[in-house]
Amino acid sequence: MEKHELVIVGGSAGGIQAAICAQKHHGLKDILVIRMEEKAMVPCGIPYIYGTLGAVEKNIMPDTLLKEAKLKVGEVVSIDRAAKKVTLKDGQEIGYNKLILATGSNPLQPPIPGMDKKNVWFAWKNTDYLQ
Ligand SMILES: Cc1cc2nc3c(=O)[nH]c(=O)nc-3n(C[C@H](O)[C@H](O)[C@H](O)COP(=O)(O)OP(=O)(O)OC[C@H]3O[C@@H](n4cnc5c(N)ncnc54)[C@H](O)[C@@H]3O)c2cc1C
């Protein structure tokens, strides 16, 4: 089973900052960041995609910020704290010494009449959806 000194679930603003901090301030070298999306959005830039930026591709968070940390695209579906491992949706198991959860949030969709109409949109931080 693949195993890492630090596994971070979430590769957006919080997860990337956690990886930078672990490298810079704690000297960790073996870090794996797992996130569901291939490319992470700069969330604060989402409104500007449809204005000054003009394109989803211009609002991608650079993975170079991760420096030496490795990146894996996948969904963590369970955590076994006793065995110190996470399991991905595809069945892959990954062991850890330390685990950080930076899984963020998704937009709440309140049950307001009309929410299901064609031109009601949500700010999902997902490149395909935003396209
Ligand atoms: C339109 C918009 C504008 C904003 N503007 C500002 C602003 O101007 N200033 C400001 O400070 N903040 C702003 N924010 C808030 C900011 O986006 C959030 O504070 C920030 O995104 C939180 O980062 P996060 O890493 O905690 O979570 P998220 O950005 O939600 O990222 C969560 C990460 O966890 C991953 N993940 C979740 N579950 C799993 C799983 N089971 N397995 C694997 N990976 C998983 C996701 O793939 C993702 O990579 C804005 C947000 C939006 C939507």
Side-chain angles (χ1 to χ4, degrees):
M1 177 177 67
E2 179 180 339
K3 191 177 173 188
H4 298 274
E5 197 174 1
L6 172 64
V7 169
I8 301 170
V9 185
S12 179
I16 288 179
Q17 279 305 321
I20 291 169
C21 185
Q23 290 170 92
K24 199 170 168 186
H25 299 294
H26 301 280
L28 295 195
K29 303 232 179 288
D30 179 20
I31 302 170
L32 179 71
V33 175
I34 307 171
R35 72 174 179 223
M36 292 194 283
E37 62 283 346
E38 183 78 43
K39 292 175 182 171
M41 286 278 107
V42 177
C44 313
I46 292 172
Y48 305 104
I49 290 172
Y50 310 99
T52 47
L53 285 176
V56 171
E57 303 78 48
K58 291 188 178 161
N59 191 46
I60 305 291
M61 202 178 301
D63 286 331
T64 46
L65 290 171
L66 286 170
K67 300 193 188 302
E68 299 303 311
K70 294 176 207 76
L71 178 67
K72 188 182 283 287
V73 177
E75 183 180 357
V76 172
V77 290
S78 71
I79 300 169
D80 183 338
R81 291 177 64 194
K84 291 195 146 197
K85 65 177 184 183
V86 298
T87 304
L88 304 192
K89 203 172 184 177
D90 65 5
Q92 194 182 350
E93 295 183 331
I94 299 170
Y96 60 82
N97 185 27
K98 299 271 185 202
L99 178 69
I100 293 177
L101 300 180
T103 48
S105 61
N106 285 321
L108 177 74
Q109 300 185 19
I112 298 169
M115 290 296 267
D116 55 342
K117 292 207 183 293
K118 200 171 134 220
N119 283 323
V120 177
W121 300 92
F122 298 89
W124 294 99
K125 292 167 254 179
N126 174 296
T127 47
D128 292 338
Y129 174 81
L130 293 169
Q131 284 284 14

